[in-house]
Structures are given as structure tokens and as C-alpha cells.
Amino acid sequence: MRNPDIVLSNLISKSKDKNYVFDRLYRNLYNVEFYLKAYSQLHAKPGNMTKGTDNRTIDGFSIARINSLIDSLKNETYQPKPSKRVYIPKANGKKRPLGIPSFDDKLVQEVVRMILEAIYEGSFHESSHGFRPKRSCHTALDKVRKTFTGVRWFIEGDIESFFDNIDHHVLINIIKKRISDQKFLRLLWKFLRAGFVDEWKFHKTYSGTPQGGIISPLLSNIYLNKLDEYIKQYASKFRQGIKRTVNKEYKKSAHLVYWHRKKLKLVWETLSDEEKKDGIKTYKQLKRKLLEVNYNEPMDSSYKRIQYVRYADDFVIGVIGSKEDCLKIKEDLTVFLKESLYLNLSQDKTLITHSANKARFLGYDITVSRSSHKSTDKTGALARTQNMRCKLYMPEEKWINKLKEYKALKITKNGQWKATHRNYLINNDELEIISIFNAEILGIYNYYKLALNSYRLNSFYYFMKYSFLRTLGAKYRISVAKVFSKIGRNGRIGITYETIKGTRIRYFYDGGFKRARRIGYSEMDSQPYTIKYHGRTSLIERLQANQCEMCRETTESLEVHHVRKLKDLKGKTVWEQKMMARRRKTMVLCVRCHRKLHLGKLD
């Protein structure tokens, strides 16, 4: 069987030819190696232990299970199960629908996703950052920060219920331009029309991507790539002027500075010390006045530009132009989305905001500064280096709402804020409690570390720290002072615990909230995506070793036992002790041992 990495690399190579149409893709779904690669990428996710509508999970995965899937794909009897719909709470108190597909469907979708990604990734636009390799919310925000310099207006794009309203016929027609394999296209149709089960009732899907499906994000990018192409062409037509007109007032002030300096040079040797001081003082005053004036004409109608960044269905457009231009752009976008993609641009939520004010994008506030702050530029000259630069800020309500969500804050009758203990954590052990607090603090910091005001998380930290101390105080029914004396270590807070290698200390996070000037990996926006060759995971090697890890019997009929979390194991049986000792959430067993395990008879 062909190595899937080689197959994917060949697809990537061919995808560089925009006119190349792919055929004979479906045969890759007969390759067991593709499913083993997909399994190695999926197996560690805890969600795989949640049952789908077929009442099965990842537990019991085997080569036989793969072969059964391949047989059904060969004769095209394979039919994806409808996803099970559940609802998860949103930050605004409402609930978001989430689909849970069966694991077998996830496995097939992961293989399909790898093939589609190899074909399409190289053709996606630089403006797109959602659900792509080596891209994230941070790369999108960083792009805004770097490219929105000087914009006068923001257009905050909002597409109404995008993921539920993707038109299946439009999507398949887009894909047909690059893929002609009819079997592969029929499989995509099956995923799109699989439906979902809500409250034990089946619902057909006539639009939208598969609920919770692995291929859904990629299909949405393929769909919205048409929007990216449209805006790129629109920006090219909208573009006007080579450079901005120089401000007349700036020219006048610069002229005065130049002639005063030249005059001083000519008569410098003849001047007295007092006259020299006066001359320098006047020169500095003229220079300060010059730096207070914009170099470019602020309302230059002959210079126009559009900048655009998209993350999934959330996008923002920066416009150098007039408000009338923005209204026209919004109107044209509405028509394009409606007529070409059958989508509705929300007229109420698609806001046009002056760049001196704050617009919201991916949870950050973005604005363009009008700063008179002066510092030396790259040439060493004094300049207004921060004027018209795009800035990112963390909205104040984000960390406040997090405190309320975690129930770490209470507001007294007279309006005072107080850190409070978290009742629902009291029954956890100390190590779990400190780990939860650390994860929550680092979670919000890691997301908002690009913000200029990330230091404001010190206030969030204060409440979280005292909430932690009060939670331990409530757990042991002692005061905060006694808690601190118990776990305080040279000014730091830490919990001691025992490991095989001895005593360890887990400290309460105290690393500060410094702004990150750069994102984690500098190559993410500059280097092309390529498939990297890699070795098999140990799990795949164990599965193909044909030996049960309990009874050591040699057999090809092996199944993988999965647990959601290692900490769920009690260590009372031999198989639990083995998994805990190896720190593995999986164990490869023969069918007989796996059956005995679930009957509680394996020891």
C-alpha cells in the first residue's frame, strides 16, 4: 500500500497547477495506511469517548473495523450516521448547538479532510486564517495589526448563521471545478445530507456543513474562498493613487524649519552665545510644530486602499477612503453574498466604525491611534512613530465576565467587588484546584497576550489569587492567613505532591502579563504548507505488533481499549496499574481480554 504522506505530497505538488482537475481520489479510501494515519491524529482527543447515534465510541478500535469501513466504501453502501445534537452554553447565556458524529464517520472524514487539504490549502488566500495549518486567531490579529496602518474606517463583517446556510449545490459546484471523481463527490454529498438527531428525532439537512464534522471547517474555507477572491479583485479595482498627497500645512512648516536651519548655519560663526541659544530655541519650537502636523493630507480623496482579514465567517475590512465608500462596499458585499453564495450579510451587525473608535474582531478591540507621541525612527530622526498605527486592546468586560463565569467574584450590596471561594471546587484535591486556577489564568492570558493593555489582567489575577486562597480556606475551614502560612513558600504559593521521582511543588502562576510583541512562530504566514514525513506513533506500532498487552497472545484480532482520562483510573486492577505506570490512555488487547475487561473480569 502506498504511503499516505507520499500520496498527499503528490497531491500538493499537482495542486500548484490551478487548471489541474483531480480524478481517482476515491481509491485512496481503500488504503488502510490512510486510516491508521487518521487514527493516530484523532485518538488522543477526549471527545472520541462520547457516544454517537450508533452508540459506539473510539473504544474497541481495530484493523477489522477499518476493513469493514473500506468494504462498505468499495461497494458504496457506506452511509454516514446522523450526528447527535447537544447544546453547550455560550458566554451570553444562550446555547450553541453542537453535533457529535460517530467515530467511524470521524475516521472517514479525517481521511477525506487530509485529501481535500492537500488539494486546496495552497490555493487559499493570505487573508484567510481560520482552521488552517500554522494559522490561528493570533495570526489573523497580527495581520490586522501590521496591515491596517492608516485606515480610516472599519467594516465589521457578519454573515447570518453561516455554517447552517452553506448551500450544498453551490459548494459541490465549487469543488467540481477541481475534482471530477464522481465517487468522491457522492461521498461528500452523503456527509452533507447525513442529518442530525435532536431529542431522539431525526432532522434532514438541506443546507450547512456536517454538524460537528471534521471536514466542516475545511469545506467552509473552500466556500468562503470565493469571498476572498471577490474582495481581492474588488480591492484591486478600488485602489487609487500611488501615494498620499503631502499636507500643505506640513510643507509650509517644513519649509520654515529648513530655512531657519540654513540661515543659522550661514551666520553661526558671527552670532553671540545668547543669539545662538535663541536661534536653537526657535528651531526647536518650529520642529515641534512640524511634528504636530500630519505629513499626509488627512482627507486625500485621490488615495484609496482596502485591507481585509478573515477568520472563518468573521471578517474585518480596513478602508482608506470615505464613509460613502464604506457604504458602497457593504452594499456590493451584500449583493455578492446573496447572488453568488446564497448567504445574507447581517445589515444590523455589519458595522461601519471610524478607526478613531474601537471595532470588535475575534474578541479584541481594534483601533487606529491618533498619537502625537514622538520617538526616534529607524534613521534616528525624531518622528511620530505611533501615529495612524493599528492597535489591539483587550475589552475590559472580557476578564470581568470570566470572573463571573468562574464564580470567583461577588459584588456586595454597596457595590464593592470581592474575591470569593468557589464552592463547586471544594471537593477536589489541592493539586486539582491549583491546576484549574492556573489553566484559567493562562487561558485568558495566552489569548489576550497580543493586547497593548494585557497588563490589565493583573486585576483579574488579584481576584483569582484570593479566590484560590478562599477556596482552600473553605475546604479546610481555616482563614486565608492560615492558608497562606500553610502553602506560602518564600513569597510564592505552591502545593507539594509526591511522584515516583520524589517531592514536587506546583506553584500558583506568578509569571506576569507582559504583552507579546510577536506571535509564537514567525514562519506561519511566510512559508508554504507542506506535508512533513514522520514515523508511526507508538500506538500504531503496538496495534500492528499482533500481540495482546495483557495475555501476550500473538493474534491479528486486536482492539484498542481507550479511557477518557488517566485520573479516572483507580489502580485496583492489573490492567489499570499498567496503564497508569506507562501513562497511557490506550491499551492494545486481544478480543477475549477486551471483552473480559468490560465485564470486570480482567485482572
Side-chain angles (χ1 to χ4, degrees), residues 247-258 289-290:
N247 190 350
K248 290 179 181 179
E249 191 180 343
Y250 183 89
K251 280 184 178 180
K252 184 179 176 182
S253 296
H255 185 72
L256 289 172
V257 170
Y258 171 77
K289 187 178 178 183
L290 174 65

Side-chain angles (χ1 to χ4, degrees), residues 85 96-99 129-131 158-168 171 191-192 196 205-224 310-315 341-344 362:
R85 176 167 282 190
R96 185 194 307 278
L98 180 70
H129 292 261
F131 316 119
D158 188 278
I159 299 171
E160 291 179 359
S161 303
F162 166 69
F163 287 97
D164 292 330
N165 289 322
I166 290 176
D167 187 276
H168 293 167
L171 176 60
F191 282 124
L192 292 171
F196 63 92
T205 45
Y206 298 104
S207 63
T209 50
Q211 283 283 324
I214 288 170
I215 58 170
S216 295
L218 182 55
L219 292 178
S220 70
N221 272 337
I222 292 170
Y223 202 80
L224 284 181
R310 179 177 67 81
Y311 184 92
D313 61 329
D314 198 355
F315 65 89
L341 299 177
Y342 298 171
L343 296 171
N344 292 320
L362 298 179

Side-chain angles (χ1 to χ4, degrees), residues 145-182:
R145 180 171 64 180
K146 289 176 178 175
T147 61
F148 277 46
T149 300
V151 304
R152 300 289 169 179
W153 300 90
F154 297 120
I155 303 175
E156 305 169 54
D158 188 278
I159 299 171
E160 291 179 359
S161 303
F162 166 69
F163 287 97
D164 292 330
N165 289 322
I166 290 176
D167 187 276
H168 293 167
H169 291 279
V170 173
L171 176 60
I172 294 297
N173 285 334
I174 291 170
I175 293 172
K176 276 182 179 178
K177 291 177 181 177
R178 298 229 66 181
I179 297 173
S180 61
D181 188 331
Q182 293 303 311

Side-chain angles (χ1 to χ4, degrees), residues 478-494:
I478 56 177
S479 67
V480 167
K482 286 182 179 178
V483 171
F484 197 85
S485 64
K486 179 184 175 184
I487 64 173
R489 288 167 177 81
N490 299 321
R492 301 182 72 187
I493 300 171

Side-chain angles (χ1 to χ4, degrees), residues 374-385 389:
K374 304 169 191 70
S375 59
T376 52
D377 60 15
K378 292 178 182 178
T379 64
L382 194 66
R384 293 166 64 187
T385 54
R389 291 288 183 92

Side-chain angles (χ1 to χ4, degrees), residues 315-458:
F315 65 89
V316 63
I317 299 172
V319 180
I320 299 176
S322 65
K323 187 171 184 180
E324 287 69 28
D325 291 327
C326 296
L327 291 168
K328 182 69 167 62
I329 293 167
K330 181 178 176 180
E331 183 184 333
D332 292 341
L333 268 177
T334 302
V335 172
F336 169 79
L337 287 170
K338 187 69 177 175
E339 294 182 354
S340 300
L341 299 177
Y342 298 171
L343 296 171
N344 292 320
L345 188 71
S346 172
Q347 299 303 305
D348 295 334
K349 294 180 181 178
T350 301
L351 306 175
I352 297 172
T353 308
H354 193 270
S355 65
N357 302 319
K358 289 177 179 176
R360 188 66 58 88
F361 181 59
L362 298 179
Y364 276 71
D365 281 338
I366 59 173
T367 186
V368 174
S369 69
R370 269 72 173 171
S371 173
S372 57
H373 174 73
K374 304 169 191 70
S375 59
T376 52
D377 60 15
K378 292 178 182 178
T379 64
L382 194 66
R384 293 166 64 187
T385 54
Q386 298 303 310
N387 191 42
M388 298 307 291
R389 291 288 183 92
C390 187
K391 307 289 185 182
L392 304 177
Y393 291 94
M394 173 184 63
E396 200 81 355
E397 71 269 15
K398 293 295 180 180
W399 64 265
I400 295 171
N401 289 340
K402 278 292 178 187
L403 288 172
K404 292 176 180 177
E405 180 187 330
Y406 298 147
K407 294 182 171 60
L409 171 74
K410 71 175 181 180
I411 302 173
T412 61
K413 290 180 180 179
N414 57 5
Q416 287 185 322
W417 291 11
K418 287 187 70 175
T420 185
H421 67 277
R422 295 162 70 175
N423 262 330
Y424 60 94
L425 294 180
I426 287 175
N427 292 329
N428 294 31
D429 63 44
E430 291 179 339
L431 195 61
E432 284 180 318
I433 295 171
I434 197 171
S435 298
I436 289 168
F437 272 88
N438 280 346
E440 289 165 348
I441 292 167
L442 283 168
I444 191 169
Y445 172 51
N446 284 335
Y447 190 76
Y448 286 106
K449 63 184 178 183
L450 297 181
L452 270 169
N453 62 338
S454 60
Y455 65 88
R456 290 291 293 132
L457 286 173
N458 282 303

